[in-house]
Amino acid sequence: MTRIAPTDPLHFSTALHPQRMQRPRVVLYSHDTLGFGHLRRNMLLAQAIRQCGHAPEVLLIAGMREAGAFDMPQGVDCLTLPAYAKAADGSYHARDLGIGVDALCDMRAATIRAAVKNFRPDLMIVDNVPRGAQYELAPTLRALKRSGRTRVVLGLRDIIDRPSVMRQQWLRQRNFEALQDHYDDIWVYGDPDFFPTADEYGLGAELSARVTYTGYLDQRARLSPGAQGADPMQVTGGDARHFVLCQVGGGRDGVALCTAFAGAPMPAGHQGILITGTQMSAADRARIAALAQGRSDLTVVDFIAEPVGLAARAAALVSMCGYNTACEMMSFGLPALVVPRVRPRTEQLIRAQRMQDRGLAWMIHPDMLSPAAIGNWLQGAVTRQAAPATVDLGGLSRVTDMAAQMLAPKSTLRRPA
């Protein structure tokens, strides 16, 4: 393939770094414009990559301040960028800083580029957005291309949006060109029997040849005895009753589900735990907490850094249908109810419908959401056995193997089968 020479004069200089450390280096980029899903996925990937046998040093570039509240795996450090916020119509603005989105993009782009230039990774894995949020990766990708020493991988969740919408957006954003020009491989964190990503989105023969389906990421790898929030007794103040769990990630788009759950009757002998998320407005969080006041069967908290311990022990799960949530439901095999987001993307709706078709979850469309609908489902769910997952959950072990191959000495590199 003919590669266009970059015009950016500020390229990586090998003269500035005459001595390389022995251990390989990996950068994970997580743009984090809405919720915690991208960050949690990249932390799990960092954990898997650390186990690849080469003891790589890993730098996670995260797009929101909450990243500082998470425990990073050993050998992993985090650079936190000032945050974007994503509006209901899909547009972006600065989440907290009083600057325009262009100024914020310039700030983030310069920070990313400086970090990658000085860290000099052997492998960079970009999460979901080929050119970065607001194209902020463009200077870094040009510099990496000129240096020629870093393998660059795009990591995709299984579903992006409706195929026609996704293709129009990617053509407009020149994402297909970016893949052709800057990326060595595409890892899809999914199972083609559940959703054949490359076929659905028409990647074509050349790009499809770079695709590896890793399988879904088994969330049981997040469990550890010391995980914050793993003990429900700590969350509920000592209430030992069985519980059902509702969580909505960051919470910015979870107000309707949290409101319905807070008003729903709990099954006999059970309590509810509701995690609203720190990205929900303070006013909405206060209103939802007020709905729970006076109830002895409902605990509402804003944030738990690692709620997977709760998810593993719940009698039933209620949530939206983002990628990580779906993986939790597949991993733990518990009765699960999803209320997908349907705007501005239909990603969650597509995933929810397929999960329902395969018996992996039950779905309530958000237009049909009510406390009664939640309560009715919960009554039957706590006595119901969920069907075992019928999808490939081997994604983490495959990521470990592929990272090991990419970080091996050049003479032993080969593309995984």
Side-chain angles (χ1 to χ4, degrees):
M1 181 192 309
T2 301
R3 295 184 180 272
I4 301 171
T7 57
D8 190 341
L10 298 177
H11 57 275
F12 291 161
S13 173
T14 55
L16 296 177
H17 302 273
Q19 184 67 39
R20 281 286 292 148
M21 294 183 66
Q22 261 190 322
R23 288 198 284 178
R25 294 175 175 179
V26 180
V27 166
L28 295 167
Y29 164 81
S30 180
H31 66 290
D32 300 314
T33 56
L34 182 66
F36 301 147
H38 296 282
L39 176 62
R40 290 195 194 280
R41 178 161 67 247
N42 280 280
M43 289 175 58
L44 199 55
L45 293 169
Q47 178 180 316
I49 290 167
R50 282 283 298 166
Q51 298 170 3
C52 76
H54 302 292
E57 299 169 350
V58 180
L59 175 64
L60 171 58
I61 299 176
M64 60 180 181
R65 64 170 178 266
E66 284 91 347
F70 293 85
D71 290 332
M72 294 291 158
Q74 185 177 6
V76 179
D77 209 341
C78 183
L79 170 65
T80 304
L81 304 171
Y84 294 113
K86 189 175 184 179
D89 63 359
S91 62
Y92 293 95
H93 59 275
R95 176 176 164 186
D96 296 295
L97 300 180
I99 61 176
V101 69
D102 290 341
L104 178 58
C105 178
D106 289 345
M107 184 190 303
R108 286 173 51 123
T111 303
I112 294 166
R113 181 153 175 231
V116 174
K117 176 180 179 179
N118 286 282
F119 190 60
R120 300 188 74 232
D122 301 280
L123 170 63
M124 181 169 181
I125 303 173
V126 174
D127 189 56
N128 211 58
V129 187
R131 300 179 67 199
Q134 299 295 293
Y135 315 121
E136 65 189 9
L137 282 186
T140 297
L141 291 173
R142 288 195 299 266
L144 288 174
K145 179 180 176 181
R146 179 159 183 164
S147 83
R149 68 170 313 279
T150 302
R151 299 288 296 272
V152 184
V153 172
L154 178 68
L156 286 177
R157 62 176 185 247
D158 55 350
I159 301 167
I160 301 170
D161 205 335
R162 288 198 311 273
S164 60
V165 173
M166 176 272 192
R167 283 195 60 80
Q168 288 178 4
Q169 181 185 50
W170 275 36
L171 287 167
R172 183 174 66 252
Q173 295 175 347
R174 298 173 62 189
N175 285 338
F176 293 106
E177 293 177 38
L179 285 176
Q180 292 278 5
D181 212 26
H182 296 293
Y183 286 86
D184 299 289
D185 290 276
I186 303 167
W187 296 351
V188 177
Y189 308 124
D191 181 345
D193 289 338
F194 183 89
F195 192 86
T197 307
D199 295 338
E200 290 280 352
Y201 295 128
L203 294 188
E206 185 174 351
L207 290 179
S208 293
R210 304 183 197 181
V211 170
T212 299
Y213 291 93
T214 67
Y216 287 97
L217 307 182
D218 192 335
Q219 302 298 297
R220 287 172 291 187
R222 291 163 55 192
L223 287 171
S224 67
Q228 183 180 352
D231 184 357
M233 295 279 283
Q234 295 178 355
V235 178
T236 62
D239 192 330
R241 284 178 291 176
H242 295 297
F243 67 95
V244 296
L245 174 67
C246 178
Q247 54 179 331
V248 291
R252 197 177 305 155
D253 53 358
V255 175
L257 177 54
C258 289
T259 301
F261 188 86
M266 294 295 114
H270 290 71
Q271 60 180 316
I273 297 176
L274 171 60
I275 308 173
T276 59
T278 57
Q279 294 179 1
M280 185 182 293
S281 73
D284 284 327
R285 278 183 277 151
R287 183 172 55 80
I288 290 166
L291 293 174
Q293 285 183 352
R295 291 189 63 166
S296 61
D297 61 352
L298 182 62
T299 299
V300 178
V301 294
D302 290 348
F303 178 75
I304 295 175
E306 184 46 280
V308 73
L310 296 178
R313 299 179 184 181
L317 303 174
V318 178
S319 71
M320 301 172 72
C321 202
Y323 176 86
N324 280 26
T325 297
C327 285
E328 287 182 11
M329 294 173 171
M330 296 172 186
S331 300
F332 295 118
L334 299 170
L337 175 68
V338 292
V339 183
R341 181 177 68 229
V342 297
R343 286 177 292 273
R345 295 186 182 275
T346 58
E347 164 223 342
Q348 293 194 10
L349 179 61
I350 296 168
R351 185 179 296 113
Q353 289 171 332
R354 296 206 175 199
M355 290 182 71
Q356 179 166 259
D357 291 344
R358 295 183 69 142
L360 298 172
W362 287 260
M363 182 183 79
I364 295 177
H365 192 281
D367 292 345
M368 305 300 292
L369 180 63
S370 69
I374 297 284
N376 289 338
W377 182 83
L378 287 172
Q379 292 295 333
V382 296
T383 60
R384 184 185 299 133
Q385 289 292 324
T390 56
V391 297
D392 184 347
L393 288 169
L396 290 174
S397 62
R398 292 192 184 93
V399 166
T400 300
D401 291 344
M402 290 188 296
Q405 292 183 15
M406 286 190 167
L407 296 174
K410 293 283 190 285
S411 61
T412 63
L413 280 176
R414 62 181 178 84
R415 182 177 172 81

